[in-house]
Amino acid sequence: MEPYFKKLTIIGVGLIGGSLALTLRKKGMVGEIVGVGRNISNLELAVKLDVIDKFTTDPAAGVMGADLVVVATPVASMAEMMKKIASYLKEGALVTDVGSVKGSIVKQAEHLLPAGVDFVGGHPIAGTEESGVCAAFPTLFEKHRCILTPTAKTDREALRRVKGIWEAAGSEVILMDAEKHDSILAAVSHLPHVIAYSLVNTVDDVKDFEESILGYSAGGFRDFTRIASSSPEMWRDICLMNREATLDMITRFEKSLSRLKVYIKESDGHEIFKEFDKSKKARDSIAKE
């Protein structure tokens, strides 16, 4: 049986928070939806698009009486948001988040939220390079994974209810240790964003010609660097909050790139082919999933 929440509060009504509100409304799993944010025009648009029913810029007022609170703010601001809302949450309220860094957020949430309020850390592995409520759509999470990071302190019933939310949204739910999550996401998400930003800057900084050579980029370059259009603020915060794991993956990438650089320098076609062939086979294997 799917959980039902009489009042849902979304703190951060953007792509992820807005899409979750839309899908839960569509599934009939929520009653009133309240949006909390700083950007009045974005919140007014959210009402107009029927993503939320009403809004406030005051987090304390927004969470009063809420059965479910979803914190969808930038990861660096989540701890401060937990502090702001902690004493205004009703007993029995359920709080979850959608942050792509889990270790520090889970620890802070369990420390800051009061007894009688349950927290379940979550991260839907879905999104686009767009932001704001205008980018939200109800099928965003379908056929994607959502990782939940329960701890020894996590209430089993709260975990069941949050799991039900994401399954209703069409996600495959996976339970994982928070530290393992951060290591894996550093490899498959945080590193690719770092590389994409760096690649665009590398090409943009080529000043050997009168014109910018970015205008000559075709499908390959544009497909590879699509994620460089993501929010710089959000990805700065993610890199800093998952610093050690991200640095580890950058170091590994540097070693791989340096090895390939040597093969090219030495005109070693055999080793170049082996590197490319290994990569193609690995990439083709995930394309079939």
Side-chain angles (χ1 to χ4, degrees):
M1 181 179 177
E2 294 178 342
Y4 177 81
F5 304 92
K6 187 175 180 181
K7 178 180 177 180
L8 163 66
T9 298
I10 301 283
I11 305 178
V13 191
L15 170 66
I16 302 299
S19 295
L20 184 59
L22 283 170
T23 192
L24 294 183
R25 186 192 294 281
K26 183 179 179 181
K27 298 287 184 178
M29 295 175 64
V30 295
E32 181 184 47
I33 304 178
V34 178
V36 177
R38 296 176 298 178
N39 188 325
I40 297 292
S41 60
N42 183 71
L43 291 168
E44 289 176 338
L45 179 59
V47 173
K48 184 177 180 180
L49 295 173
D50 200 32
V51 175
I52 59 176
D53 299 305
K54 62 182 182 180
F55 67 83
T56 176
T57 58
D58 180 5
V63 302
M64 285 185 181
D67 302 292
L68 173 64
V69 176
V70 177
V71 182
T73 62
V75 290
S77 65
M78 284 189 176
E80 186 60 32
M81 185 56 65
M82 301 283 186
K83 283 184 186 177
K84 289 180 180 179
I85 67 174
S87 60
Y88 299 93
L89 295 163
K90 73 174 187 178
E91 186 172 355
L94 177 56
V95 179
T96 188
D97 78 305
V98 296
S100 60
V101 179
K102 294 265 66 76
S104 60
I105 290 173
V106 171
K107 289 176 184 175
Q108 291 167 336
E110 291 188 337
H111 173 70
L112 293 168
L113 296 180
V117 172
D118 293 311
F119 176 80
V120 179
H123 178 207
I125 313 297
T128 71
E129 69 275 18
E130 303 297 329
S131 59
V133 72
C134 58
F137 57 100
T139 58
L140 174 63
F141 310 109
E142 290 183 2
K143 298 181 180 179
H144 288 277
R145 290 174 172 171
C146 179
I147 299 175
L148 301 183
T149 55
T151 71
K153 297 180 181 179
T154 304
D155 180 80
R156 296 300 103 180
E157 175 60 15
L159 178 61
R160 184 195 69 79
R161 298 179 79 197
V162 173
K163 187 171 182 284
I165 291 168
W166 290 109
E167 288 177 339
S171 296
E172 175 192 356
V173 177
I174 297 171
L175 306 185
M176 186 180 293
D177 173 77
E179 300 301 330
K180 179 180 178 181
H181 166 278
D182 289 353
S183 294
I184 290 175
L185 268 293
V188 299
S189 178
H190 307 170
L191 177 65
H193 279 81
V194 169
I195 294 171
Y197 284 123
S198 181
L199 176 57
V200 172
N201 286 340
T202 299
V203 176
D204 191 41
D205 287 344
V206 173
K207 305 302 180 186
D208 303 39
F209 311 96
E210 293 181 359
E211 72 272 38
S212 169
I213 64 174
L214 282 173
Y216 292 96
S217 61
F221 184 87
R222 298 188 183 204
D223 289 346
F224 186 85
T225 60
R226 173 186 59 81
I227 55 176
S229 291
S230 302
S231 165
E233 176 188 21
M234 178 179 76
W235 282 99
R236 174 202 63 196
D237 294 347
I238 289 170
C239 285
L240 293 176
M241 288 192 69
N242 199 25
R243 179 174 172 271
E244 295 305 320
T246 302
L247 284 173
D248 175 57
M249 293 313 306
I250 291 174
T251 299
R252 293 172 189 242
F253 176 73
E254 288 173 335
K255 290 179 180 178
S256 177
L257 186 61
S258 295
R259 184 170 61 249
L260 187 56
K261 179 182 177 181
V262 169
Y263 296 152
I264 295 172
K265 183 178 180 179
E266 296 178 351
S267 298
D268 192 335
H270 176 71
E271 291 299 329
I272 293 171
F273 175 82
K274 281 176 60 179
E275 290 286 317
F276 290 173
D277 188 52
K278 176 185 175 184
S279 178
K280 181 183 185 310
K281 289 175 180 175
R283 178 61 179 83
D284 288 349
S285 71
I286 62 172
K288 295 174 183 177
E289 292 184 0

